[in-house]
Amino acid sequence: MWKLKIAEGGSPWLRTLNNHVGRQVWEFDPKLGTPEELEEVEKAREDYHNHRFVHKHSSDRLMRIQFAKENPAKDVLPQIKVKDTEDLTDETVTTILKRAINFHSTLQAHDGHWPGDYGGPMFLLPGLVITLSITGALNAVLSDEHRKEICRYLYNHQNEDGGWGLHIEGPSTMFGSVLTYVTLRLLGEGAKDGKGAMENGRKWILDHGSATAITSWGKMWLSVLGAFEWSGNNPLPPEIWLLPYILPIHPGRMWCHCRMVYLPMSYLYGKRFVGSITPTVLSLRKELFNVPYHEIDWNQARNECAKEDLYYPHPLVQDILWTSLHKAVEPVLMHWPGKKLREKALKTAIEHIHYEDENSRYICIGPVNKVLNMLCCWVEDPNSEAFKLHIPRIYDYLWIAEDGMKMQGYNGSQLWDTAFAVQAIVSTNLVEEYSSTLRKGHKFIKDSQVLENGSGDLDFWYRHISKGAWPFSTGDHGWPISDCTAEGLKAVLVLSKIPSEIVGEPLDANRLYDAVNVILSLQNGDGGFATYELTRSYRWLELINPAETFGDIVIDYPYVECTSAAIQALASFKKLYPGHRPREIEQCIKKGVEFIEKIQESDGSWYGSWGVCFTYGTWFGVKGLVAAGMNYNNSSSIRKACDFLLSKQLDSGGWAESYLSCQNKEYTNLKGNRSHVVNTGWAMLALIDAGQAERDPTPLHRGARCLINSQMENGDFPQEEIMGVFNRNCMIAYSAYRNIFPIWALGEYRCRVLGFS
């Protein structure tokens, strides 16, 4: 049976700054589990499989089964359902909240964070399996049980048409289909295995143009594997790292996720690295294409992309650029004397790869560059210490649920979820009853703050300051993020107002000052906040975005979410520490407000770039303006936002958005106009902050009834459609949201709507 282990090391090759706080790793123990527990796990898997085309998102049932045994709820209060005509009372809502927090507290790990599934994208596991296959580490790293669960996951998420999507809820794409098919083959599945699944997958690929029509990222992965030719790739010259930083196209000016992915890609491209050509690779050369491998026109394949994948078509300027590099520049760099420049560029690239590895304790900023960096370390030296240090951190990215084993979009969302959960519980005004939960969450947040900047000359490595920041996941990951720093700061500030005997000692003031310093340092000239760093280049750089399936990846854009979170944190800090940098904070908030007002959509909404979608963005937009002192009466932006949200309320009283809202930038309800507990929570929180209770509380009563009637028998809330997004087009799971936002919305409702009434 699988067991989730928290905050454990266990390998001499693991490095840590804080005793692995937040680390979450699944291990298989064949001796674990009673017959009843094993039967419960199998039933969860069977239930998922039987309904996989209707409910594509897993419900984290394996973790819930484990924690129900380890952290049993002290008591489960009776379930409550309310009628549409029934008035809600404080007693009813308080009971609902206690049921919800009692349950959510059982999901809290002993180190204080809330673990959970952060999967969703389908293109992450293939990179890992290809890398392990090339390096010969597949069987050593992935046990039989790992491989079995990965196969279960990939088969479970095959679409009815035979293909696989970019993410678990998406339609079939060439990127998802080819890489998943290849992964299954490398894991030992035959071309006719899977009860017809492999044949259906191959048929989808060949019917839609074959693997020559895969996206550029897919072409790169197939090339290192040996199932595609490097001449079929558009150039990724590492020499770009040798350009002067003053040039807008320097990679140091790009969004860190973009540059950290293209850095190792450029190293592999510059070396034209290809793994050993195994019998499986030779078979794939036959299985993936409509014509014999030696007859493929690789030059034509460079710019081929299946229409199903084409979210960001290449503009003409890109085609001209790649063709010029391919035909004129690359031939020079591949031969002496140009080869000397190539060697210098490769040396620079690998130095930057090692810096990233060492400063993230070999976790890396994300799963794509994690496995690419690992492969580069092996290519440089198969026996290197760097490669060995990468191995144990693979498990930080693997998560198992009833749908199988997946690779997460980060090493988790630990800090982010915990900061939100703490604020949600405090909002209920039931803090004394949940002292233990809050105390543990508080300690986790304090233990996860980044205490030092990255090593060396930050400008040389193109890094921003990080001392005082909070990361998205764990302290060992260490990358600073504006909104994570803001939410971490908000959480410790709200806890500092509660007696320490209830929630523990407050964070030292100097560490609060460090967090404020990070936030202030991240504001752009236009008043907005981007994610990890300042916006360092221009929007026109998106013209050279080579990733056909993602939008807005080249620079770090400013966002309503990051800007709002920063305003909220600084406004909260200012009230408690009015003497610390007051003018800078006041000016920062003022500019942030101007930015939020400027980017509001004409219909009153804000586009959410990190959650689905307009309800998420609008929650942040409203909350940021209110934190700055604005209200419904003095802000037309808040009035328009309220009108927008009220216009989207469903007959059920709730709200819901499909991921298509993100992709198409147009508000789209879920099929059948079903409500969603997370969207409902966001909309209610925005309206409550905007003073809806004073004008007409009826929409809030209706929303609260919808949440109350959604609660499950054990106090949990249902896992509904996927609610996270990145780069406009790829969805990602935030599994704790299903509990956090109903608690938060009903907490605010209890205190500010029923209390107001």
Side-chain angles (χ1 to χ4, degrees), residues 407-446:
M407 193 171 193
Q408 301 185 107
Y410 224 74
N411 65 319
S413 52
Q414 294 91 317
L415 183 281
W416 183 250
D417 290 338
T418 303
F420 273 160
V422 161
Q423 293 176 74
I425 295 170
V426 170
S427 79
T428 67
N429 204 23
L430 299 170
V431 293
E432 291 190 30
E433 291 190 45
Y434 297 100
S435 168
S436 174
T437 301
L438 290 170
R439 182 182 287 268
K440 287 195 294 182
H442 193 187
K443 186 175 187 307
F444 175 79
I445 295 169
K446 290 186 289 186

Coordinates of all heavy atoms in Angstrom, one line a residue, residues 407-446:
M407 N 2.9 13.4 -12.3 CA 3.9 14.4 -12.0 C 3.3 15.7 -11.8 O 2.5 16.2 -12.7 CB 5.0 14.4 -13.1 CG 6.3 15.2 -12.6 SD 7.6 15.0 -13.8 CE 9.0 15.6 -12.8
Q408 N 3.6 16.4 -10.7 CA 2.9 17.6 -10.3 C 3.6 18.8 -11.1 O 4.7 18.7 -11.5 CB 3.0 17.9 -8.8 CG 2.4 16.8 -8.0 CD 2.4 17.1 -6.5 OE1 1.4 17.4 -6.0 NE2 3.6 17.0 -5.9
G409 N 2.8 19.9 -11.1 CA 3.3 21.1 -11.8 C 4.3 21.9 -11.0 O 4.8 22.9 -11.5
Y410 N 4.6 21.5 -9.8 CA 5.6 22.1 -8.9 C 5.9 21.0 -7.9 O 5.3 19.9 -8.0 CB 5.0 23.3 -8.2 CG 5.8 24.5 -8.1 CD1 6.0 25.3 -9.3 CD2 6.3 25.0 -6.9 CE1 6.7 26.5 -9.1 CE2 7.0 26.2 -6.8 CZ 7.2 26.9 -7.9 OH 7.9 28.1 -7.8
N411 N 6.8 21.2 -7.0 CA 6.9 20.2 -5.9 C 5.8 20.3 -4.9 O 6.0 19.9 -3.7 CB 8.3 20.2 -5.3 CG 8.5 21.5 -4.5 OD1 8.2 22.6 -5.0 ND2 9.2 21.4 -3.3
G412 N 4.7 20.9 -5.3 CA 3.5 21.1 -4.4 C 3.1 22.5 -4.3 O 3.8 23.4 -4.8
S413 N 2.0 22.8 -3.6 CA 1.5 24.2 -3.4 C 1.4 24.4 -1.9 O 0.5 25.0 -1.4 CB 0.2 24.3 -4.1 OG -0.7 23.3 -3.7
Q414 N 2.4 23.9 -1.1 CA 2.3 23.9 0.3 C 2.1 25.2 1.0 O 1.2 25.4 1.8 CB 3.6 23.2 0.9 CG 3.7 21.7 0.5 CD 4.5 21.5 -0.8 OE1 4.4 22.2 -1.8 NE2 5.4 20.5 -0.8
L415 N 3.0 26.2 0.7 CA 2.9 27.5 1.4 C 1.6 28.2 0.9 O 0.9 28.8 1.7 CB 4.2 28.3 1.1 CG 4.3 29.7 1.7 CD1 3.5 30.8 1.1 CD2 4.0 29.6 3.2
W416 N 1.4 28.2 -0.3 CA 0.2 28.9 -0.9 C -1.1 28.4 -0.3 O -1.9 29.2 0.2 CB 0.2 28.6 -2.4 CG -0.9 29.3 -3.2 CD1 -1.9 28.8 -3.8 CD2 -0.9 30.7 -3.5 NE1 -2.7 29.7 -4.5 CE2 -2.1 30.9 -4.3 CE3 -0.2 31.8 -3.2 CZ2 -2.5 32.2 -4.8 CZ3 -0.5 33.1 -3.7 CH2 -1.7 33.2 -4.4
D417 N -1.3 27.1 -0.2 CA -2.5 26.5 0.4 C -2.6 26.8 1.9 O -3.7 27.1 2.4 CB -2.6 25.0 0.1 CG -2.8 24.7 -1.4 OD1 -3.3 25.6 -2.1 OD2 -2.5 23.6 -1.8
T418 N -1.5 26.7 2.5 CA -1.5 26.9 4.0 C -1.8 28.3 4.4 O -2.5 28.6 5.3 CB -0.1 26.4 4.6 OG1 0.1 25.1 4.2 CG2 -0.1 26.5 6.1
A419 N -1.2 29.3 3.6 CA -1.5 30.7 3.9 C -2.9 31.0 3.7 O -3.6 31.7 4.5 CB -0.6 31.6 3.0
F420 N -3.5 30.5 2.6 CA -5.0 30.7 2.4 C -5.8 30.0 3.5 O -6.8 30.5 4.0 CB -5.3 30.1 1.0 CG -5.2 31.0 -0.1 CD1 -5.1 30.6 -1.4 CD2 -5.1 32.4 0.1 CE1 -4.9 31.4 -2.5 CE2 -5.0 33.3 -1.0 CZ -4.9 32.8 -2.3
A421 N -5.4 28.7 3.8 CA -6.2 28.0 4.8 C -6.2 28.7 6.2 O -7.3 28.8 6.8 CB -5.6 26.6 5.0
V422 N -5.1 29.2 6.6 CA -5.0 30.0 7.8 C -5.9 31.2 7.8 O -6.7 31.4 8.8 CB -3.6 30.4 8.1 CG1 -3.5 31.5 9.2 CG2 -2.8 29.2 8.6
Q423 N -5.9 31.9 6.7 CA -6.7 33.1 6.6 C -8.2 32.7 6.6 O -9.1 33.4 7.2 CB -6.4 33.9 5.4 CG -5.0 34.5 5.4 CD -4.7 35.2 4.1 OE1 -5.2 36.3 3.8 NE2 -3.8 34.6 3.3
A424 N -8.5 31.6 6.0 CA -9.9 31.1 5.9 C -10.4 30.8 7.3 O -11.5 31.2 7.7 CB -10.0 29.9 5.0
I425 N -9.6 30.1 8.1 CA -10.1 29.6 9.4 C -10.2 30.8 10.3 O -11.2 30.9 11.1 CB -9.1 28.6 10.0 CG1 -9.2 27.3 9.1 CG2 -9.4 28.2 11.4 CD1 -8.1 26.3 9.4
V426 N -9.3 31.8 10.2 CA -9.3 33.0 11.1 C -10.6 33.8 10.8 O -11.2 34.3 11.7 CB -8.1 33.8 10.9 CG1 -8.3 35.2 11.6 CG2 -6.9 33.1 11.5
S427 N -11.0 33.8 9.5 CA -12.2 34.5 9.1 C -13.5 34.1 9.8 O -14.5 34.8 9.9 CB -12.4 34.5 7.6 OG -13.0 33.2 7.2
T428 N -13.5 32.8 10.2 CA -14.7 32.3 10.9 C -14.9 32.7 12.3 O -16.0 32.5 12.8 CB -14.6 30.7 10.9 OG1 -13.6 30.3 11.8 CG2 -14.3 30.1 9.5
N429 N -13.9 33.3 12.9 CA -13.9 33.8 14.3 C -14.1 32.6 15.2 O -14.7 32.7 16.3 CB -15.0 34.8 14.5 CG -14.8 35.7 15.7 OD1 -13.6 35.8 16.1 ND2 -15.8 36.3 16.3
L430 N -13.6 31.4 14.8 CA -13.6 30.2 15.7 C -12.2 29.8 16.1 O -11.9 28.6 16.2 CB -14.3 29.1 14.9 CG -15.8 29.3 14.5 CD1 -16.3 28.2 13.6 CD2 -16.7 29.4 15.7
V431 N -11.3 30.8 16.2 CA -9.9 30.5 16.4 C -9.6 29.7 17.6 O -8.7 28.8 17.6 CB -9.1 31.8 16.3 CG1 -9.1 32.5 15.0 CG2 -9.5 32.8 17.4
E432 N -10.3 29.9 18.7 CA -9.9 29.2 19.9 C -10.2 27.7 19.8 O -9.5 26.9 20.3 CB -10.7 29.8 21.1 CG -10.2 31.2 21.5 CD -10.8 31.7 22.8 OE1 -11.1 30.8 23.7 OE2 -10.9 32.9 22.9
E433 N -11.3 27.4 19.0 CA -11.6 26.0 18.9 C -10.6 25.3 18.0 O -10.4 24.0 18.0 CB -13.0 25.8 18.3 CG -14.1 26.2 19.2 CD -15.5 25.8 18.7 OE1 -15.6 24.7 18.2 OE2 -16.4 26.7 18.7
Y434 N -9.9 26.0 17.1 CA -9.0 25.4 16.2 C -7.5 25.9 16.4 O -6.7 26.1 15.5 CB -9.4 25.7 14.7 CG -10.8 25.0 14.5 CD1 -12.0 25.8 14.6 CD2 -10.9 23.6 14.4 CE1 -13.2 25.1 14.5 CE2 -12.1 23.0 14.3 CZ -13.3 23.8 14.3 OH -14.5 23.1 14.2
S435 N -7.2 26.1 17.7 CA -5.9 26.5 18.1 C -4.8 25.6 17.6 O -3.8 26.1 17.0 CB -5.8 26.6 19.6 OG -4.5 26.8 20.1
S436 N -5.0 24.3 17.7 CA -3.9 23.4 17.3 C -3.7 23.5 15.8 O -2.5 23.5 15.3 CB -4.3 22.0 17.7 OG -3.4 21.0 17.1
T437 N -4.8 23.6 15.0 CA -4.6 23.7 13.5 C -3.9 24.9 13.1 O -3.0 24.9 12.3 CB -6.0 23.6 12.9 OG1 -6.7 22.4 13.2 CG2 -5.9 23.7 11.4
L438 N -4.3 26.0 13.8 CA -3.7 27.3 13.4 C -2.2 27.4 13.9 O -1.4 28.0 13.2 CB -4.5 28.5 14.0 CG -5.9 28.7 13.4 CD1 -6.7 29.7 14.2 CD2 -5.7 29.2 12.0
R439 N -2.0 26.8 15.1 CA -0.6 26.9 15.6 C 0.3 26.1 14.6 O 1.4 26.6 14.3 CB -0.6 26.2 17.0 CG 0.8 26.2 17.7 CD 0.6 25.5 19.0 NE -0.1 26.4 20.0 CZ 0.5 27.2 20.8 NH1 1.9 27.3 20.8 NH2 -0.2 27.9 21.7
K440 N -0.1 24.9 14.2 CA 0.7 24.2 13.3 C 0.9 24.9 11.9 O 2.0 24.9 11.4 CB 0.1 22.8 13.0 CG 0.3 21.8 14.2 CD 0.0 20.4 13.8 CE -1.4 20.1 13.4 NZ -1.7 18.7 13.1
G441 N -0.2 25.5 11.4 CA -0.1 26.2 10.2 C 0.8 27.4 10.3 O 1.6 27.7 9.4
H442 N 0.8 28.1 11.4 CA 1.6 29.2 11.7 C 3.1 28.8 11.7 O 3.9 29.5 11.1 CB 1.2 29.8 13.1 CG 1.8 31.2 13.4 ND1 1.7 31.8 14.6 CD2 2.5 32.0 12.6 CE1 2.2 33.0 14.6 NE2 2.7 33.1 13.4
K443 N 3.4 27.7 12.4 CA 4.8 27.3 12.4 C 5.3 26.9 11.0 O 6.4 27.2 10.7 CB 4.9 26.1 13.4 CG 6.3 25.6 13.6 CD 6.5 24.5 14.6 CE 7.9 24.2 14.9 NZ 8.8 23.9 13.8
F444 N 4.4 26.3 10.2 CA 4.9 25.9 8.9 C 5.2 27.2 8.1 O 6.2 27.2 7.4 CB 3.8 25.1 8.1 CG 4.1 24.8 6.7 CD1 5.0 23.8 6.4 CD2 3.6 25.6 5.7 CE1 5.4 23.6 5.1 CE2 4.0 25.4 4.4 CZ 4.9 24.4 4.1
I445 N 4.3 28.2 8.2 CA 4.6 29.4 7.4 C 5.9 30.1 7.8 O 6.7 30.5 7.0 CB 3.4 30.4 7.5 CG1 2.1 29.7 6.9 CG2 3.7 31.7 6.9 CD1 0.8 30.5 7.2
K446 N 6.1 30.1 9.1 CA 7.3 30.7 9.7 C 8.6 29.9 9.2 O 9.6 30.5 8.8 CB 7.3 30.8 11.2 CG 6.3 31.8 11.7 CD 6.4 32.0 13.2 CE 5.8 30.8 14.0 NZ 5.8 31.1 15.4

